[in-house]
Amino acid sequence: MAHHKRPTSSYQPCDSYFVESYDDFPAPRIDPKEHAKLVARERQYAIADELSKAASDEFRDDILAHMLDMDAATLPDVESIDIQTEIQWFMRPYLLDFLIEAHTAFQLLPATLFLTVNLLDRYCSKRVVYKRHYQLVGCAALLIAAKYGDKKDRVPTIKELKSMCCSLYDDDMFIQMEWHVLQTLGWTVGHPTVDSFLQIAVLDTPYDPEVEHLALYILEISLFHREFVSKASADLARASLALARCILNRPQPRHTEWASQYDSMTLVGLSQQLHQPSQVLSRKYSSSHYSRVAKILEQFLARQASITSYTPPSPPSDVPSDPKPYYGEIGLATPQKAQSSNLPNGYPTPPITPENEAFANACNPNFVKEVPETNTCSPSPSPPSMQYVDSHPYNPEAAYAHQPFEQPQMSFTSSF
């Protein structure tokens, strides 16, 4: 019986168990014309990138000067917000937590969040805002900011915003508030946000995601505090970038670069607000998408606290152990470092909405609040009437007067 000899293979033995052969399946051939088109397209993309970079380098100074002018022209006035009779600074963290969660849920750009807070603060600088309308103004600002700079398919709808507010406001109220915010700001929506200046600051450096994400984390923490409301975006961006590099032990830029011209007082102010960030914000930046910089910052602060609380041992004293008082030469005692205070700097971020009598009585002793038993949502309930007054003198008692819960109708005064 004849045995057929097995054909030898040109492949060498492999360590893996499975060995595949492509002898019977030749690689598909690309049409020469299609291949030429692909090569030409890639070449065009490369040329476009080079021209774009050349134009950016040529007009960078002009672009930066224009952004600085716009930044100064569109900053909110913190002193005007101070004289709001119903809106208090302790309410700000609760609204920002809501806006950050909504911003994350819709997967909007970072610039949209900073622009939202800018529009909110600019509106509160020019109009008297009732406490019951505070969340509605924030939703309108988020809607405007998303329409201005984000992708169309990610812009939240009024139905979605209404659902997030637990149907406390009608559809028409969102539309009217959006119109009123735009009218109040003179339709000037454009504002160079801090992340725009941050991109300029890191333009000439290698990409470092941890530094950029930590700088964004610090910038979002600054949104919660009054002292940074009227601070220029360029100053905040440079100071946050320098602080992020310091925390991560990265080299600082050369003194000739624009990013190195940060304000040391702004950097110190930012560093003092890192100890108690918002829980919503900390959870957001603990994800791998943001390089888990919240955990990195937490570990850094824990190391700093352990170093601060360490007390070096005192050297043995040469004074003889005698019950009588010693009147000889007394040397200087070993200096002791002060214990670090556990009290947070700035405004804490409680985990719930301030809808209890303790916060209300702190602002107005005569305040009487009624909470509907069937409402399980955290936002403030909407009052039976919504009016926007254009001068600060108004009757607070009428503003706090509550009637049976029903959807109100918005009305605006004609005089601005």
Side-chain angles (χ1 to χ4, degrees), residues 239-320:
S240 65
L241 181 60
L243 182 58
R245 286 170 170 167
C246 179
I247 293 173
L248 296 173
N249 197 21
R250 300 293 200 274
Q252 294 292 340
R254 297 186 299 271
H255 67 280
T256 56
E257 298 181 11
W258 178 79
S260 65
Q261 303 171 9
Y262 58 86
D263 182 24
S264 59
M265 296 303 298
T266 303
L267 188 147
V268 172
L270 290 173
S271 65
Q272 293 175 349
Q273 306 299 344
L274 303 180
H275 299 277
Q276 193 177 8
S278 163
Q279 295 181 3
V280 174
L281 201 58
S282 177
R283 184 169 60 251
K284 172 183 175 181
Y285 281 91
S286 296
S287 63
S288 59
H289 181 71
Y290 290 102
S291 305
R292 295 185 173 89
V293 292
K295 299 295 183 181
I296 296 176
L297 178 60
E298 183 179 352
Q299 296 171 1
F300 173 81
L301 295 176
R303 291 194 303 267
Q304 293 297 316
S306 62
I307 294 174
T308 304
S309 60
Y310 172 73
T311 302
S314 300
S317 176
D318 296 334
V319 180

Coordinates of all heavy atoms in Angstrom, one line a residue, residues 239-320:
A239 N -3.2 79.6 37.1 CA -2.9 79.2 38.5 C -3.3 77.7 38.7 O -2.5 77.0 39.4 CB -3.7 80.1 39.4
S240 N -4.4 77.3 38.1 CA -4.8 75.9 38.3 C -3.8 74.9 37.6 O -3.5 73.8 38.1 CB -6.2 75.6 37.7 OG -6.2 75.8 36.3
L241 N -3.2 75.3 36.5 CA -2.3 74.5 35.8 C -1.0 74.4 36.6 O -0.4 73.3 36.7 CB -2.0 75.1 34.4 CG -1.0 74.3 33.5 CD1 -1.5 72.9 33.3 CD2 -0.8 75.0 32.2
A242 N -0.5 75.5 37.1 CA 0.7 75.5 38.0 C 0.5 74.7 39.2 O 1.4 73.9 39.6 CB 1.1 76.9 38.3
L243 N -0.7 74.8 39.8 CA -1.0 74.0 41.0 C -1.1 72.5 40.7 O -0.6 71.6 41.4 CB -2.3 74.4 41.6 CG -2.7 73.7 42.9 CD1 -1.7 73.9 44.0 CD2 -4.1 74.3 43.4
A244 N -1.7 72.1 39.5 CA -1.7 70.7 39.1 C -0.3 70.2 38.9 O 0.0 69.0 39.3 CB -2.6 70.6 37.9
R245 N 0.5 70.9 38.3 CA 1.9 70.4 38.0 C 2.7 70.3 39.3 O 3.5 69.4 39.5 CB 2.6 71.4 37.1 CG 2.2 71.3 35.6 CD 2.7 72.4 34.8 NE 2.5 72.2 33.4 CZ 2.6 73.1 32.4 NH1 3.1 74.4 32.8 NH2 2.4 72.9 31.2
C246 N 2.4 71.2 40.3 CA 3.1 71.0 41.6 C 2.6 69.8 42.3 O 3.4 69.1 42.9 CB 2.8 72.3 42.4 SG 3.5 72.3 44.0
I247 N 1.3 69.5 42.3 CA 0.8 68.3 43.0 C 1.3 67.1 42.4 O 1.7 66.1 43.1 CB -0.8 68.4 43.0 CG1 -1.3 69.5 43.8 CG2 -1.4 67.1 43.4 CD1 -2.8 69.8 43.7
L248 N 1.4 67.0 41.0 CA 1.8 65.8 40.3 C 3.3 65.8 40.1 O 3.8 64.9 39.5 CB 1.1 65.8 38.9 CG -0.4 65.6 39.0 CD1 -0.9 65.7 37.6 CD2 -0.8 64.3 39.6
N249 N 4.0 66.8 40.7 CA 5.5 66.8 40.6 C 6.0 66.9 39.1 O 6.9 66.2 38.8 CB 6.1 65.6 41.3 CG 7.6 65.8 41.6 OD1 8.1 67.0 41.7 ND2 8.3 64.7 41.8
R250 N 5.3 67.7 38.4 CA 5.7 67.9 37.0 C 6.5 69.2 36.9 O 6.3 70.1 37.7 CB 4.5 68.0 36.1 CG 3.6 66.8 36.0 CD 4.2 65.6 35.4 NE 3.3 64.6 35.0 CZ 2.7 63.7 35.8 NH1 3.1 63.6 37.0 NH2 1.8 62.8 35.3
P251 N 7.4 69.3 35.9 CA 8.2 70.5 35.8 C 7.3 71.7 35.4 O 6.4 71.6 34.6 CB 9.2 70.2 34.7 CG 8.6 69.1 33.9 CD 7.8 68.3 34.9
Q252 N 7.6 72.9 35.9 CA 6.9 74.1 35.6 C 7.4 74.7 34.3 O 8.5 74.4 33.9 CB 7.1 75.1 36.7 CG 6.4 74.7 38.0 CD 4.9 74.7 38.0 OE1 4.3 75.3 37.1 NE2 4.3 73.9 38.9
P253 N 6.6 75.4 33.6 CA 7.0 76.0 32.3 C 8.1 77.0 32.5 O 8.4 77.6 33.6 CB 5.8 76.7 31.7 CG 4.9 77.0 32.9 CD 5.2 75.9 33.9
R254 N 8.8 77.3 31.4 CA 9.9 78.3 31.4 C 9.3 79.7 31.7 O 8.1 80.0 31.4 CB 10.7 78.3 30.1 CG 11.4 77.0 29.9 CD 12.3 77.2 28.6 NE 11.5 77.5 27.4 CZ 11.0 76.5 26.7 NH1 11.2 75.3 26.9 NH2 10.3 76.9 25.6
H255 N 10.1 80.6 32.3 CA 9.6 81.9 32.6 C 9.2 82.8 31.4 O 8.5 83.8 31.6 CB 10.6 82.6 33.5 CG 11.8 83.0 32.7 ND1 12.9 82.1 32.5 CD2 12.2 84.2 32.2 CE1 13.8 82.8 31.8 NE2 13.5 84.0 31.6
T256 N 9.6 82.4 30.3 CA 9.3 83.1 29.1 C 7.9 82.7 28.5 O 7.4 83.4 27.6 CB 10.3 82.9 28.0 OG1 10.5 81.5 27.7 CG2 11.7 83.5 28.4
E257 N 7.3 81.6 29.0 CA 6.0 81.2 28.4 C 4.9 81.9 29.1 O 5.0 82.3 30.3 CB 5.9 79.6 28.6 CG 6.9 78.8 27.9 CD 6.7 77.4 28.1 OE1 5.7 77.0 28.6 OE2 7.6 76.6 27.7
W258 N 3.8 82.0 28.4 CA 2.6 82.7 28.9 C 2.0 81.9 30.1 O 1.5 82.6 31.1 CB 1.5 82.8 27.8 CG 0.3 83.4 28.3 CD1 0.1 84.8 28.4 CD2 -1.0 82.8 28.6 NE1 -1.2 85.0 28.8 CE2 -1.9 83.8 29.0 CE3 -1.4 81.5 28.7 CZ2 -3.2 83.5 29.4 CZ3 -2.7 81.2 29.1 CH2 -3.5 82.2 29.5
A259 N 2.1 80.6 30.2 CA 1.6 79.9 31.3 C 2.3 80.1 32.6 O 1.7 79.9 33.7 CB 1.6 78.4 31.0
S260 N 3.5 80.6 32.5 CA 4.3 80.8 33.8 C 3.9 82.1 34.5 O 4.3 82.3 35.6 CB 5.8 80.8 33.4 OG 6.1 81.9 32.6
Q261 N 3.1 83.0 33.8 CA 2.8 84.3 34.4 C 1.5 84.2 35.3 O 0.6 84.9 35.1 CB 2.6 85.3 33.3 CG 3.8 85.4 32.4 CD 3.5 86.3 31.2 OE1 2.5 86.9 31.1 NE2 4.5 86.3 30.2
Y262 N 1.5 83.2 36.2 CA 0.3 83.0 37.0 C 0.4 83.9 38.3 O 1.5 84.3 38.7 CB 0.1 81.6 37.4 CG 1.3 81.0 38.1 CD1 1.5 81.1 39.5 CD2 2.3 80.3 37.4 CE1 2.5 80.5 40.2 CE2 3.4 79.7 38.1 CZ 3.5 79.9 39.5 OH 4.6 79.3 40.1
D263 N -0.7 84.2 38.9 CA -0.8 85.0 40.1 C -0.6 84.0 41.3 O -1.4 83.1 41.5 CB -2.1 85.7 40.2 CG -2.2 86.6 41.4 OD1 -1.1 87.0 42.0 OD2 -3.3 86.9 41.8
S264 N 0.4 84.3 42.1 CA 0.7 83.4 43.3 C -0.5 83.4 44.3 O -0.8 82.4 44.9 CB 2.0 83.8 43.9 OG 1.9 85.2 44.4
M265 N -1.1 84.6 44.5 CA -2.2 84.7 45.4 C -3.4 83.8 44.9 O -4.1 83.2 45.7 CB -2.7 86.1 45.6 CG -1.6 87.0 46.2 SD -1.0 86.3 47.8 CE -2.5 86.4 48.8
T266 N -3.7 83.8 43.6 CA -4.7 83.0 43.1 C -4.4 81.5 43.3 O -5.3 80.7 43.6 CB -4.9 83.3 41.6 OG1 -5.2 84.7 41.4 CG2 -6.1 82.5 41.0
L267 N -3.1 81.1 43.1 CA -2.7 79.8 43.3 C -2.9 79.4 44.8 O -3.4 78.3 45.1 CB -1.3 79.6 42.9 CG -0.7 78.2 42.9 CD1 0.3 78.0 41.8 CD2 0.0 77.8 44.2
V268 N -2.6 80.2 45.7 CA -2.7 79.9 47.1 C -4.2 79.8 47.4 O -4.6 78.9 48.2 CB -2.1 81.0 48.0 CG1 -2.4 80.8 49.5 CG2 -0.6 81.0 47.8
G269 N -5.0 80.7 46.9 CA -6.5 80.6 47.1 C -7.1 79.3 46.6 O -7.9 78.7 47.3
L270 N -6.6 78.9 45.5 CA -7.1 77.6 44.9 C -6.7 76.4 45.8 O -7.5 75.5 46.1 CB -6.6 77.4 43.5 CG -7.2 78.3 42.4 CD1 -6.5 78.1 41.1 CD2 -8.7 78.0 42.3
S271 N -5.5 76.5 46.3 CA -4.9 75.4 47.1 C -5.7 75.2 48.4 O -5.8 74.2 49.0 CB -3.4 75.6 47.4 OG -3.2 76.7 48.1
Q272 N -6.2 76.3 48.9 CA -7.0 76.3 50.2 C -8.4 75.8 50.1 O -9.0 75.5 51.1 CB -7.0 77.7 50.8 CG -5.7 78.3 51.2 CD -5.8 79.7 51.7 OE1 -6.8 80.4 51.5 NE2 -4.7 80.2 52.3
Q273 N -8.9 75.5 48.8 CA -10.2 75.0 48.6 C -10.3 73.6 48.2 O -11.3 73.1 47.7 CB -10.9 75.9 47.6 CG -10.9 77.4 47.9 CD -11.7 77.7 49.2 OE1 -12.4 76.9 49.7 NE2 -11.4 78.9 49.7
L274 N -9.1 72.9 48.3 CA -9.1 71.5 47.7 C -9.5 70.5 48.8 O -9.6 69.3 48.4 CB -7.7 71.2 47.2 CG -7.1 72.2 46.2 CD1 -5.7 71.7 45.8 CD2 -8.0 72.2 44.9
H275 N -9.6 70.9 50.0 CA -9.8 69.9 51.1 C -11.1 69.2 51.2 O -11.3 68.1 51.7 CB -9.4 70.5 52.4 CG -8.0 71.0 52.5 ND1 -6.9 70.2 52.8 CD2 -7.5 72.2 52.3 CE1 -5.8 70.9 52.7 NE2 -6.1 72.1 52.4
Q276 N -12.2 69.9 50.7 CA -13.5 69.4 50.8 C -14.3 69.7 49.6 O -15.2 70.5 49.5 CB -14.3 70.0 52.0 CG -15.5 69.2 52.4 CD -16.2 69.7 53.6 OE1 -15.8 70.8 54.1 NE2 -17.2 69.1 54.1
P277 N -14.0 68.9 48.5 CA -14.7 69.2 47.2 C -16.1 68.6 47.3 O -16.5 67.8 48.2 CB -13.9 68.5 46.2 CG -13.2 67.4 47.0 CD -13.0 67.9 48.4
S278 N -16.9 69.0 46.3 CA -18.3 68.4 46.2 C -18.2 66.9 46.0 O -17.3 66.4 45.3 CB -19.0 69.1 45.1 OG -20.2 68.4 44.7
Q279 N -19.1 66.2 46.6 CA -19.2 64.7 46.4 C -19.5 64.4 45.0 O -18.9 63.4 44.5 CB -20.2 64.1 47.4 CG -19.8 64.3 48.9 CD -20.8 63.6 49.8 OE1 -21.8 63.0 49.3 NE2 -20.6 63.7 51.1
V280 N -20.4 65.2 44.4 CA -20.7 64.9 43.0 C -19.5 65.1 42.1 O -19.2 64.3 41.2 CB -21.8 65.8 42.5 CG1 -22.1 65.7 41.0 CG2 -23.1 65.5 43.3
L281 N -18.7 66.2 42.4 CA -17.5 66.5 41.6 C -16.4 65.5 41.8 O -15.7 65.1 40.9 CB -17.0 67.9 42.0 CG -16.1 68.6 41.0 CD1 -16.8 68.8 39.6 CD2 -15.8 70.0 41.5
S282 N -16.3 65.1 43.1 CA -15.2 64.0 43.4 C -15.6 62.7 42.7 O -14.7 62.0 42.2 CB -15.2 63.9 44.9 OG -14.2 62.8 45.2
R283 N -16.8 62.4 42.7 CA -17.2 61.1 42.0 C -17.0 61.2 40.5 O -16.6 60.2 39.9 CB -18.7 60.8 42.3 CG -19.2 59.5 41.7 CD -20.5 59.1 42.3 NE -21.6 60.1 42.0 CZ -22.1 60.9 42.8 NH1 -21.8 60.9 44.1 NH2 -23.1 61.8 42.5
K284 N -17.2 62.4 39.9 CA -17.0 62.6 38.5 C -15.6 62.4 38.1 O -15.3 61.7 37.1 CB -17.5 64.0 38.1 CG -17.2 64.4 36.7 CD -17.6 65.8 36.4 CE -17.2 66.3 35.0 NZ -17.6 67.7 34.8
Y285 N -14.7 63.0 38.9 CA -13.2 62.9 38.6 C -12.5 61.7 39.2 O -11.3 61.6 39.1 CB -12.6 64.2 39.0 CG -12.8 65.3 38.0 CD1 -13.8 66.2 38.1 CD2 -11.9 65.5 36.9 CE1 -14.1 67.2 37.2 CE2 -12.1 66.5 36.0 CZ -13.2 67.4 36.2 OH -13.4 68.4 35.3
S286 N -13.3 60.8 39.7 CA -12.7 59.5 40.2 C -12.8 58.5 39.1 O -12.3 57.3 39.3 CB -13.4 59.0 41.5 OG -13.3 59.9 42.5
S287 N -13.4 58.8 38.0 CA -13.5 57.8 36.9 C -12.2 57.7 36.1 O -11.4 58.7 36.1 CB -14.7 58.2 36.0 OG -14.5 59.4 35.4
S288 N -12.0 56.7 35.4 CA -10.9 56.5 34.5 C -10.8 57.5 33.4 O -9.8 57.8 32.8 CB -10.8 55.1 34.0 OG -12.0 54.8 33.2
H289 N -12.0 58.0 33.0 CA -12.1 58.9 31.9 C -11.3 60.2 32.2 O -10.8 60.9 31.3 CB -13.6 59.3 31.6 CG -13.7 60.3 30.5 ND1 -13.5 60.0 29.1 CD2 -14.1 61.6 30.5 CE1 -13.7 61.0 28.4 NE2 -14.1 62.0 29.2
Y290 N -11.3 60.6 33.5 CA -10.5 61.7 34.0 C -9.3 61.3 34.8 O -8.9 62.1 35.7 CB -11.4 62.6 34.9 CG -12.5 63.3 34.1 CD1 -13.8 62.8 34.1 CD2 -12.3 64.4 33.3 CE1 -14.8 63.5 33.4 CE2 -13.2 65.1 32.6 CZ -14.5 64.6 32.6 OH -15.5 65.2 31.9
S291 N -8.7 60.2 34.4 CA -7.4 59.7 35.0 C -7.5 59.6 36.5 O -6.4 59.5 37.1 CB -6.3 60.7 34.6 OG -6.2 60.9 33.2
R292 N -8.7 59.5 37.1 CA -8.8 59.3 38.5 C -8.1 60.4 39.3 O -7.5 60.1 40.3 CB -8.4 57.9 38.9 CG -9.3 56.8 38.3 CD -8.9 55.4 38.9 NE -9.8 54.4 38.4 CZ -9.7 53.7 37.3 NH1 -8.7 54.0 36.5 NH2 -10.6 52.8 36.9
V293 N -8.1 61.6 38.8 CA -7.3 62.6 39.5 C -7.9 63.0 40.9 O -7.2 63.5 41.7 CB -7.3 63.9 38.6 CG1 -6.5 63.6 37.4 CG2 -8.7 64.4 38.2
A294 N -9.2 62.7 41.1 CA -9.8 63.0 42.4 C -9.1 62.1 43.5 O -8.8 62.5 44.6 CB -11.3 62.7 42.4
K295 N -8.8 60.8 43.1 CA -8.1 59.9 44.1 C -6.7 60.4 44.3 O -6.1 60.3 45.4 CB -8.1 58.5 43.5 CG -9.5 57.9 43.4 CD -10.2 57.8 44.7 CE -11.6 57.1 44.6 NZ -12.3 57.0 45.9
I296 N -6.0 60.8 43.2 CA -4.7 61.3 43.3 C -4.6 62.5 44.2 O -3.7 62.6 45.0 CB -4.1 61.6 41.9 CG1 -4.1 60.4 41.0 CG2 -2.7 62.3 41.9 CD1 -3.6 60.7 39.6
L297 N -5.5 63.5 44.0 CA -5.5 64.6 44.9 C -5.8 64.3 46.3 O -5.2 64.8 47.3 CB -6.6 65.6 44.4 CG -6.7 66.9 45.2 CD1 -5.4 67.7 45.2 CD2 -7.8 67.8 44.6
E298 N -6.7 63.3 46.5 CA -7.0 62.9 47.9 C -5.8 62.3 48.6 O -5.5 62.6 49.8 CB -8.1 61.9 47.9 CG -8.6 61.4 49.2 CD -9.8 60.5 49.1 OE1 -10.3 60.3 48.0 OE2 -10.2 59.9 50.2
Q299 N -5.0 61.5 47.9 CA -3.8 60.9 48.4 C -2.8 61.9 48.7 O -2.0 61.9 49.7 CB -3.3 59.8 47.5 CG -4.2 58.6 47.3 CD -3.7 57.7 46.2 OE1 -2.7 57.9 45.5 NE2 -4.5 56.6 45.9
F300 N -2.7 62.9 47.8 CA -1.7 64.0 48.0 C -2.0 64.8 49.3 O -1.1 65.1 50.1 CB -1.7 64.9 46.8 CG -0.8 66.1 46.9 CD1 0.6 66.1 46.8 CD2 -1.4 67.4 47.3 CE1 1.3 67.2 47.0 CE2 -0.6 68.5 47.4 CZ 0.7 68.4 47.3
L301 N -3.3 65.1 49.4 CA -3.7 65.9 50.6 C -3.5 65.1 51.9 O -3.1 65.6 52.9 CB -5.1 66.3 50.5 CG -5.4 67.3 49.4 CD1 -6.9 67.6 49.3 CD2 -4.7 68.6 49.6
A302 N -3.7 63.8 51.8 CA -3.5 62.9 53.0 C -2.0 62.9 53.4 O -1.6 63.0 54.6 CB -4.0 61.5 52.7
R303 N -1.1 62.8 52.4 CA 0.3 62.9 52.7 C 0.7 64.2 53.3 O 1.5 64.3 54.2 CB 1.1 62.6 51.4 CG 1.0 61.2 50.9 CD 2.1 60.9 49.9 NE 2.1 61.8 48.7 CZ 1.4 61.6 47.6 NH1 0.7 60.5 47.5 NH2 1.4 62.5 46.6
Q304 N 0.2 65.3 52.7 CA 0.5 66.6 53.3 C 0.0 66.8 54.7 O 0.7 67.4 55.5 CB -0.1 67.7 52.4 CG 0.5 67.8 51.0 CD 2.0 68.1 51.0 OE1 2.4 69.0 51.7 NE2 2.8 67.4 50.2
A305 N -1.2 66.2 55.0 CA -1.7 66.3 56.4 C -0.8 65.5 57.3 O -0.6 65.9 58.5 CB -3.1 65.8 56.4
S306 N -0.3 64.3 56.9 CA 0.5 63.6 57.8 C 1.8 64.3 58.1 O 2.4 64.2 59.2 CB 0.7 62.2 57.2 OG 1.4 62.3 56.0
I307 N 2.4 64.9 57.1 CA 3.6 65.7 57.2 C 3.4 66.9 58.2 O 4.2 67.2 59.1 CB 4.2 66.2 55.9 CG1 4.6 64.9 55.0 CG2 5.3 67.1 56.1 CD1 5.0 65.3 53.6
T308 N 2.3 67.6 58.0 CA 2.0 68.7 58.8 C 1.8 68.4 60.3 O 2.2 69.1 61.2 CB 0.8 69.5 58.3 OG1 1.0 69.8 56.9 CG2 0.5 70.7 59.1
S309 N 1.1 67.2 60.5 CA 0.7 66.8 61.9 C 1.9 66.2 62.6 O 1.8 65.9 63.8 CB -0.4 65.9 61.9 OG -0.1 64.7 61.1
Y310 N 3.0 65.9 61.9 CA 4.2 65.2 62.5 C 4.9 66.2 63.4 O 5.2 67.3 63.0 CB 5.1 64.7 61.5 CG 6.4 64.1 62.0 CD1 6.4 62.9 62.7 CD2 7.6 64.8 61.8 CE1 7.6 62.5 63.2 CE2 8.8 64.4 62.3 CZ 8.8 63.2 63.0 OH 10.0 62.7 63.5
T311 N 5.2 65.8 64.6 CA 5.9 66.7 65.6 C 7.3 66.0 65.9 O 7.3 64.9 66.4 CB 5.1 66.8 66.9 OG1 3.8 67.4 66.6 CG2 5.9 67.7 67.9
P312 N 8.4 66.7 65.5 CA 9.7 66.1 65.8 C 10.0 66.0 67.2 O 9.5 66.8 68.0 CB 10.6 67.0 65.1 CG 9.9 68.3 65.0 CD 8.5 68.0 64.9
P313 N 10.6 64.9 67.7 CA 10.9 64.8 69.1 C 11.9 65.9 69.6 O 12.8 66.3 68.9 CB 11.6 63.4 69.2 CG 12.1 63.1 67.9 CD 11.2 63.8 66.9
S314 N 11.7 66.3 70.8 CA 12.6 67.3 71.4 C 13.9 66.7 71.9 O 13.9 65.5 72.4 CB 11.9 68.0 72.6 OG 10.7 68.6 72.1
P315 N 15.0 67.4 71.8 CA 16.3 66.8 72.3 C 16.3 66.7 73.8 O 15.6 67.5 74.4 CB 17.3 67.8 71.7 CG 16.6 69.1 71.6 CD 15.2 68.7 71.2
P316 N 17.1 65.8 74.4 CA 17.1 65.7 75.8 C 17.6 67.0 76.5 O 18.6 67.6 76.0 CB 18.0 64.5 76.1 CG 18.8 64.4 74.8 CD 18.0 64.9 73.7
S317 N 17.0 67.4 77.6 CA 17.4 68.6 78.2 C 18.6 68.3 79.1 O 18.8 67.3 79.7 CB 16.2 69.1 79.0 OG 16.6 70.3 79.8
D318 N 19.5 69.3 79.2 CA 20.7 69.2 80.1 C 20.4 69.7 81.5 O 21.3 69.8 82.4 CB 21.8 70.0 79.5 CG 22.3 69.4 78.2 OD1 22.1 68.2 78.0 OD2 22.9 70.2 77.4
V319 N 19.2 70.2 81.8 CA 18.8 70.7 83.1 C 18.7 69.6 84.1 O 18.1 68.6 83.8 CB 17.5 71.5 83.0 CG1 17.1 72.0 84.4 CG2 17.6 72.6 82.0
P320 N 19.4 69.7 85.2 CA 19.4 68.6 86.2 C 18.0 68.4 86.8 O 17.2 69.4 86.9 CB 20.4 69.0 87.3 CG 20.5 70.5 87.1 CD 20.3 70.8 85.7

